[in-house]
Amino acid sequence: MSERTGYHIGFGREDLGADPPSMALVCGDPARTEKVACSTPGLHLVKQLSDNRALSSYLVSLADGKRLVCATSGMGAPSMSIVINELFSAGIRQVIRIGTTGSIQDDVRAGSVIIASAALCRQGAGSDIAPPEYPAAASVFLTAGLVEAARELGVDWHLGITASVDTFYEGQERTATSANKHLLGHLRGITEEYRRLNILSYEMETGTLFKMAGVYGFAAASVLAVIAERSSSEEIRSDLKGQAEHDAIRCAIRCVETLDPEYLTPRYWR
Ligand code: URA
């Protein structure tokens, strides 16, 4: 391992070739990263970069030769913050998260995708990076690219705010499916409160990613497959997950394919 190899991600800038890519697609689930890198039409696998602690990463290229990194962030903000920190050291300056989310609005159905314009960040890792009141804002350029891609592809999409929290059960007010039936007082009714604040969904990484983007100086966006309808149930809609995930991946790839190269220059991600 060279001195500049990311300790956790298991690769560094020198593994990315003479003209290293600045763009990364980041998935929480290593199976999704593999799916993006190895079986997405229009993407060609150049090489696997690493498979360290289940944080598998790949170097891939698009039909026009443009290369990018597909990396696994792991579950939740602490793991993701480590991966993003090391990707930044490897020269990555644009990150699109491809994740999953649970809708809290009646009109945002499982099977659709949410493109996050911003996040409410109720995350410990995010607070280590910047104060709670620091904005967790998406790159307007990558986000517009995702929306354009979704429109072009005919994907069922929504644009809005997601709530990023640290726990899947307690923090997302799950009790029926949780081993812990006791919710702290401040979490009881929080889903209804967020619904009234026009927050679209719950997930576990975007807020910290967006705060890191602001502090470090890189561009970040998030496209999220809706796999639960929390207005009516705590369950994951496994029947709709594959299709929603597929649409989120297609949006991310199309966004990268069609992104104006001007938006890869520093004035767009500072
Ligand atoms: N991811 C989450 O964090 N919550 C959900 O309900 C679904 C996916």
Side-chain angles (χ1 to χ4, degrees):
M1 194 194 282
S2 113
E3 235 174 68
R4 284 175 294 158
T5 298
Y7 175 69
H8 301 86
I9 62 174
F11 68 93
R13 194 191 297 241
E14 64 276 17
D15 300 302
L16 300 179
D19 183 20
S22 64
M23 168 77 73
L25 303 179
V26 173
C27 306
D29 178 356
R32 193 177 314 131
T33 313
E34 186 186 356
K35 185 170 158 191
V36 174
C38 304
S39 38
T40 300
L43 272 195
H44 166 71
L45 176 65
V46 177
K47 64 174 177 174
Q48 180 157 9
L49 292 163
S50 64
D51 186 14
N52 196 31
R53 299 174 182 231
L55 299 173
S56 49
S57 296
Y58 305 84
L59 183 62
V60 301
S61 65
L62 297 173
D64 66 359
K66 204 185 296 167
R67 289 179 314 144
L68 51 145
V69 169
C70 293
T72 306
S73 65
M75 266 187 285
S79 175
M80 190 216 57
S81 73
I82 295 167
V83 170
I84 296 298
N85 185 305
E86 293 180 5
L87 286 176
F88 188 87
S89 294
I92 295 300
R93 295 295 182 270
Q94 295 85 30
V95 174
I96 299 179
R97 162 166 155 73
I98 305 172
T100 57
T101 195
S103 162
I104 61 170
Q105 298 289 346
D106 289 340
D107 64 320
V108 178
R109 308 305 301 266
S112 65
V113 304
I114 292 174
I115 297 163
S117 54
L120 176 149
C121 187
R122 179 159 57 80
Q123 303 204 283
S127 298
D128 278 358
I129 288 152
E133 61 271 27
Y134 188 91
S139 155
V140 293
F141 305 102
L142 292 182
T143 303
L146 286 170
V147 170
E148 280 308 314
R151 289 179 56 186
E152 183 193 321
L153 296 168
V155 164
D156 180 8
W157 61 275
H158 306 267
L159 175 69
I161 299 165
T162 190
S164 302
V165 303
D166 283 335
T167 47
F168 182 84
Y169 291 99
E170 289 85 348
Q172 298 183 21
E173 210 184 347
R174 279 184 166 90
T175 47
T177 54
S178 172
N180 180 10
K181 304 298 176 196
H182 176 74
L183 277 186
L184 294 176
H186 74 277
L187 293 175
R188 288 186 214 136
I190 198 145
T191 306
E192 181 55 25
E193 196 161 299
Y194 285 178
R195 190 173 290 127
R196 289 175 193 212
L197 294 175
N198 200 21
I199 288 168
L200 303 192
S201 69
Y202 280 122
E203 59 87 83
M204 296 179 65
E205 291 86 6
T206 295
T208 295
L209 171 66
F210 287 178
K211 285 175 80 170
M212 293 181 84
V215 172
Y216 289 36
F218 66 89
S222 195
V223 57
L224 305 164
V226 180
I227 62 164
E229 292 173 353
R230 293 298 315 285
S231 297
S232 54
S233 165
E234 294 186 6
E235 302 291 343
I236 297 301
R237 291 291 303 268
S238 307
D239 54 329
L240 296 172
K241 184 177 171 189
Q243 173 244 304
E245 227 178 30
H246 181 66
D247 282 348
I249 293 169
R250 291 200 302 145
C251 289
I253 304 289
R254 191 67 191 139
C255 169
V256 177
E257 281 173 345
T258 53
L259 196 69
D260 184 337
E262 171 75 9
Y263 294 152
L264 301 179
T265 61
R267 77 184 299 180
Y268 295 91
W269 41 259
R270 157 119 202 271

